[in-house]
Amino acid sequence: MRCVTQRTPRLMLLDTASLYFRAYFGVPESVRAPDGTPVNAVRGLLDFIARLVQDHRPDSLVACMDADWRPQWRVDLIPTYKAHRVAEETPSGPDTEEVPDTLSPQVPIIEDVLDALGIARLGAAGYEADDVIGTLTDRATGPVDIVTGDRDLYQLVDDVRGVRVLYPLKGVGTLQLTDEAALREKYGVDGSGYVDLALLRGDPSDGLPGVPGIGEKTAAKLLAAHGDLAGIMAAVDDLGSPLTPSQRKRLHEARPYVAVAPKVVRVAKDVPVPDDLDATLPREPRDPEALDALAHQWGLGGALQRLLVTLGN
């Protein structure tokens, strides 16, 4: 009797904002709806998803959203967190992020189209998409592909659990498959060590100062020598450790930052998301009438049809 090997179902998680930003800047703004509204991000994202599904054949897919792109609990710990990207402060809710004028109106269209298609879309109040991705990855019982242009999510890479990051280099036609071997080759750390590397190095794009004078290469060397952040900080107090005087001084002076940065940099894994989320890829639209209306109103044309054909195959 022939033994048939069953493939373990694979979950794909999209860092949706990261992808629609790339679509916006990768597809000409001359791509417009019949009424003249730019829909380059919408159509670009639909093509991205079609290509991802075609090339990687996930069984389930969740478009993870930023319900709060700059959570207050992170700002309370590090006030500079994403501060340079604030367009308008909102005392009663999330601050408004600085986004191109012609991109903002496309986000609700993207949400409506995903909902009409039946592609699971998930955000959580007070959390970023990264945190939703972290929680769903932690809950997953099978392999996970995380599609993001944000290196922060390298911290979730785990070869044992089959968690990898697909990092777009050009559109989504060229993806850098990041597993632990790739992380060790480029950064000298595995997934769990990436948080310590990132917080020591800092990240100007997120307003994270890092430890002055400790760049990526130095951070990797310190982690190789001392194991983790706790080991490095223990070495600061150990005058017999091989830290240079300047490294010891800089790390000592950075103690207030080092004490809070792990919670800011590490993605949350306890986000309140539904236990019964149905993320199965739809083979046909959940709401065909609504989808037809959206396709007509926004001129989604070939991009939507390509995705529908891909989902149906």
Side-chain angles (χ1 to χ4, degrees), residues 263-291:
K263 186 173 181 181
V264 175
V265 177
R266 188 173 290 117
V267 301
K269 296 182 180 179
D270 57 354
V271 175
V273 298
D275 291 323
D276 59 350
L277 176 69
D278 182 6
T280 306
L281 266 178
R283 295 189 63 83
E284 55 187 32
R286 172 186 293 151
D287 191 337
E289 290 186 11
L291 191 62

Side-chain angles (χ1 to χ4, degrees), residues 7-15 56 58-62 64 132-147 153 156-166 177-179:
R7 187 176 72 91
T8 304
R10 180 172 290 277
L11 170 64
M12 178 173 282
L13 302 175
L14 306 184
D15 181 3
H56 300 281
D59 301 278
S60 302
L61 184 145
V62 182
C64 301
V132 175
I133 290 171
T135 299
L136 293 177
T137 299
D138 194 55
R139 289 186 183 184
T141 56
V144 181
D145 283 341
I146 299 166
V147 188
L153 288 169
L156 297 174
V157 169
D158 185 336
D159 286 358
V160 173
R161 297 190 59 228
V163 179
R164 59 188 187 177
V165 166
L166 306 181
L177 194 159
T178 306
D179 56 12

Side-chain angles (χ1 to χ4, degrees), residues 5 8 11 16 60 96 102 109 116 123 138 147 211 222 231 238 245 249 255-256 258 281 306-307 310:
T5 302
T8 304
L11 170 64
T16 312
S60 302
T96 303
T102 53
I109 303 171
D138 194 55
V147 188
V211 177
L222 290 173
D238 178 6
K249 181 174 183 291
R255 282 186 188 276
V258 171
L281 266 178
R306 285 188 291 274
L307 176 54
T310 303

Side-chain angles (χ1 to χ4, degrees), residues 167-188:
Y167 186 94
L169 298 175
K170 185 177 182 182
V172 292
T174 306
L175 293 170
Q176 174 184 286
L177 194 159
T178 306
D179 56 12
E180 289 192 8
L183 288 180
R184 283 191 291 269
E185 181 179 351
K186 185 168 179 61
Y187 301 105

Side-chain angles (χ1 to χ4, degrees), residues 106-248:
Q106 297 187 58
V107 177
I109 303 171
I110 288 169
E111 294 174 344
D112 289 344
V113 172
L114 292 176
D115 291 348
L117 281 165
I119 291 177
R121 182 173 65 83
L122 186 62
Y127 293 96
E128 301 176 56
D130 286 9
D131 301 312
V132 175
I133 290 171
T135 299
L136 293 177
T137 299
D138 194 55
R139 289 186 183 184
T141 56
V144 181
D145 283 341
I146 299 166
V147 188
T148 181
D150 184 351
R151 293 185 300 170
D152 289 344
L153 288 169
Y154 285 167
Q155 64 185 273
L156 297 174
V157 169
D158 185 336
D159 286 358
V160 173
R161 297 190 59 228
V163 179
R164 59 188 187 177
V165 166
L166 306 181
Y167 186 94
L169 298 175
K170 185 177 182 182
V172 292
T174 306
L175 293 170
Q176 174 184 286
L177 194 159
T178 306
D179 56 12
E180 289 192 8
L183 288 180
R184 283 191 291 269
E185 181 179 351
K186 185 168 179 61
Y187 301 105
V189 297
D190 57 15
S192 61
Y194 191 82
V195 169
D196 291 346
L197 179 84
L199 70 86
L200 287 166
R201 175 195 64 202
D203 186 348
S205 69
D206 279 344
L208 296 172
V211 177
I214 306 293
E216 189 168 276
K217 291 183 179 178
T218 301
K221 289 178 181 177
L222 290 173
L223 288 167
H226 303 285
D228 57 16
L229 183 64
I232 293 171
M233 298 313 292
V236 174
D237 297 324
D238 178 6
L239 297 181
S241 71
L243 291 174
T244 67
S246 63
Q247 288 171 348
R248 193 182 310 277

Side-chain angles (χ1 to χ4, degrees), residues 70-81 260 264:
R70 188 175 181 248
Q72 188 61 44
W73 57 272
R74 283 193 166 105
V75 177
D76 289 342
L77 294 169
I78 299 181
T80 58
Y81 183 67
V260 298
V264 175

